[in-house]
Amino acid sequence: MATSRAERDQKEYVNEQAVANKFADMRSELNQIYSKITELEMEASEHSLVINAIQPLDPSRRCYRMIGGVLVERTIKEVLPAVQRNKEGIEEVIARLNEALEKKKKEISDFEAKYKIRIRKEQGEEKDDSARKEGTAQGVLVGPAGGSG
């Protein structure tokens, strides 16, 4: 019998390593969303620069546009609406990615609460928080993103 993705995502993890691996995967997905949003925001900014540069010019003036790796000659009157549409499309994708980002943040927060996950701090920072954390309930301790130990 096949299980649905939702059922697999909701399953109980039996050991700390499985919980830590799932948490790391979730954080990786979150970072990928952040990266894509940043990339698209830079692209939208470039589109804005182009729009601002060519808008005041004569609509019949010749300009060049890269389409699929090929440089084509057009007029500003033809290019400006296309660049504006592309920018609007990019902004829509950014909005959808921001929604996905918020959903993923909530999912990670719920997962942290469910498994009582605490992020292990660097050696120097641990000493400051050691007294405060001594009386807390046990949970999964996850190391920093790039290190072990």
Side-chain angles (χ1 to χ4, degrees):
M1 179 202 262
T3 59
S4 71
R5 181 174 182 204
E7 290 171 352
R8 285 193 307 262
D9 289 347
Q10 296 299 323
K11 73 179 179 180
E12 294 293 322
Y13 291 94
V14 292
N15 64 26
E16 288 184 13
Q17 189 61 44
V19 172
N21 289 342
K22 174 66 176 170
F23 185 69
D25 290 345
M26 293 169 78
R27 286 175 58 182
S28 174
E29 289 174 28
L30 187 71
N31 288 335
Q32 288 173 354
I33 294 171
Y34 273 125
S35 297
K36 192 62 176 176
I37 288 172
T38 302
E39 176 186 330
L40 289 174
E41 284 175 342
M42 288 179 8
E43 200 168 316
S45 174
E46 289 174 9
H47 277 68
S48 293
L49 289 173
V50 170
I51 290 168
N52 292 337
I54 67 174
Q55 217 164 19
L57 301 176
D58 178 24
S60 62
R61 185 173 174 169
R62 188 173 21 150
C63 69
Y64 297 90
R65 180 172 180 224
M66 183 75 72
I67 301 176
V70 178
L71 195 61
V72 295
E73 183 180 334
R74 298 278 190 254
T75 64
I76 290 177
K77 181 173 74 174
E78 296 170 322
V79 170
L80 186 58
V83 174
Q84 289 170 330
R85 278 193 308 273
N86 285 354
K87 182 181 176 225
E88 290 167 5
I90 291 169
E91 289 170 344
E92 288 175 19
V93 172
I94 290 171
R96 286 199 303 269
L97 283 173
N98 278 323
E99 290 171 11
L101 181 70
E102 292 306 314
K103 183 178 176 185
K104 183 58 74 175
K105 282 181 181 178
K106 182 175 180 354
E107 183 182 335
I108 289 173
S109 175
D110 293 345
F111 193 81
E112 284 177 334
K114 180 176 182 179
Y115 290 102
K116 300 175 186 163
I117 295 175
R118 298 184 320 263
I119 307 299
R120 183 183 304 150
K121 296 187 177 174
E122 296 297 323
Q123 294 276 338
E125 297 175 39
E126 266 183 39
K127 294 175 187 170
D128 299 337
D129 294 346
S130 61
R132 185 168 40 111
K133 290 188 177 181
E134 280 183 15
T136 61
Q138 286 202 340
V140 178
L141 187 62
V142 179
S148 61

